[in-house]
Amino acid sequence: MSARRAALVALAATLAACGGGDAETETPPAAGPATAAPNTLSPEEQAAGWRLLFDGATLSGWRGYGREDVPGSWVVVDGAMTHQAEGGNMDGGDILTTEEFADFELVFDFKVGPSGNSGVFYRAREADGKGLWQVAPEYQVLDDPAYPASEDWAPETHRTGENYDLQAADQRVVHPMGEWNSGRILVQGNHVEHWLNGGMTAAYELYSPEWEALVSKSKFAEEEFYARAPAGSIGLQDHGTPVWYRNMKIRPMAAGS
């Protein structure tokens, strides 16, 4: 072998060792076991006590707030609970689970359409003459950029994942309008947490002095039934704009667990 050819061979070997050329790279290992398909439970979830609140095909287990049927604006489309209204015209189409829960962990996926505005409520119990928003705490669901700050509007405490009208999140990761987000609500006794796409956006203790002070400065100051029920339904808000929910799963917990 000539000295020139030997040098070329050595150079090629060096490049291959450094990852140059078309050398194959090792495929990284999978991140973990595959998650369950939308609107289904994995064997692990079933064993842990998780239950579906939405089966992906019907609205069984749901009814309208203050009524026994489901408002016509809520339908199932492509495996998602879909609210079809547009233009902000609310017709009393909030919906509730027929079952009530006290302590639980709730997870759900959601996305909003243009100017989308909705919310997930918990421990909701109807009161005569009161709407859903007046009786239960709310996990805000919103097309945030469609509602920018202005002279007469401060969006803090009204953004996606926040404890509506009470607490602003320090940090949030929000996927834009038209993309799925993942929410989580944990309620254990008086302790409540909101999570959005893996990050906590709110934590509070019901009926603590700090919580009572927040309520006294909010739109709920005069609402005698707001967040007072020890157990109640999960609720979804009709705010007259398009919104989608899927993968709604709940894990009821015994008191004090």
Side-chain angles (χ1 to χ4, degrees):
M1 180 184 294
S2 67
R4 182 173 180 275
R5 184 176 181 185
L8 289 174
V9 170
L11 177 60
T14 302
L15 289 173
C18 295
D22 296 326
E24 293 184 1
T25 57
E26 183 178 354
T27 302
T35 57
N39 306 311
T40 64
L41 296 174
S42 68
E44 293 80 8
E45 288 173 325
Q46 295 180 45
W50 287 92
R51 296 160 49 188
L52 290 175
L53 291 181
F54 170 56
D55 63 12
T58 72
L59 294 176
S60 175
W62 294 81
R63 64 176 179 84
Y65 183 90
R67 52 197 286 183
E68 295 304 317
D69 61 338
V70 176
S73 56
W74 289 94
V75 296
V76 178
V77 178
D78 296 331
M81 301 175 70
T82 305
H83 187 260
Q84 297 181 312
E86 297 181 358
N89 296 318
M90 295 174 283
D91 63 355
D94 299 334
I95 59 175
L96 300 171
T97 58
T98 56
E99 187 174 356
E100 294 190 345
F101 306 93
D103 291 1
F104 58 86
E105 182 179 5
L106 173 72
V107 296
F108 52 95
D109 295 342
F110 65 91
K111 65 179 179 178
V112 296
S115 300
N117 187 346
S118 183
V120 180
F121 295 76
Y122 43 97
R123 286 187 178 174
R125 187 168 290 174
E126 292 150 313
D128 290 342
K130 299 294 184 179
L132 176 59
W133 69 270
Q134 294 170 294
V135 300
E138 177 183 358
Y139 178 112
Q140 176 70 61
V141 170
L142 194 72
D143 177 14
D144 292 341
Y147 300 88
S150 63
E151 291 184 0
D152 56 357
W153 165 252
E156 290 78 10
T157 76
H158 297 85
R159 302 170 300 182
T160 296
E162 293 182 325
N163 180 15
Y164 178 76
D165 210 46
L166 296 184
Q167 290 175 290
D170 293 330
Q171 295 182 351
R172 298 174 308 125
V173 175
V174 188
H175 301 157
M177 184 268 294
E179 296 186 12
W180 289 105
N181 291 269
S182 295
R184 175 175 176 258
I185 300 170
L186 177 68
V187 180
Q188 290 181 291
N190 292 335
H191 180 73
V192 180
E193 296 176 6
H194 290 189
W195 293 72
L196 172 64
N197 295 321
M200 184 186 292
T201 54
Y204 64 94
E205 301 293 325
L206 285 163
Y207 321 126
S208 66
E210 294 79 9
W211 182 83
E212 296 286 5
L214 291 172
V215 172
S216 70
K217 299 175 183 178
S218 74
K219 66 193 298 182
F220 308 116
E222 304 301 322
E223 299 296 344
E224 60 178 315
F225 299 109
Y226 173 73
R228 300 297 169 177
S233 299
I234 305 300
L236 301 180
Q237 186 181 46
D238 165 12
H239 213 287
T241 54
V243 63
W244 294 260
Y245 293 96
R246 70 178 186 184
N247 278 343
M248 298 202 72
K249 307 175 183 182
I250 196 164
R251 182 174 66 89
M253 295 183 289
S257 62

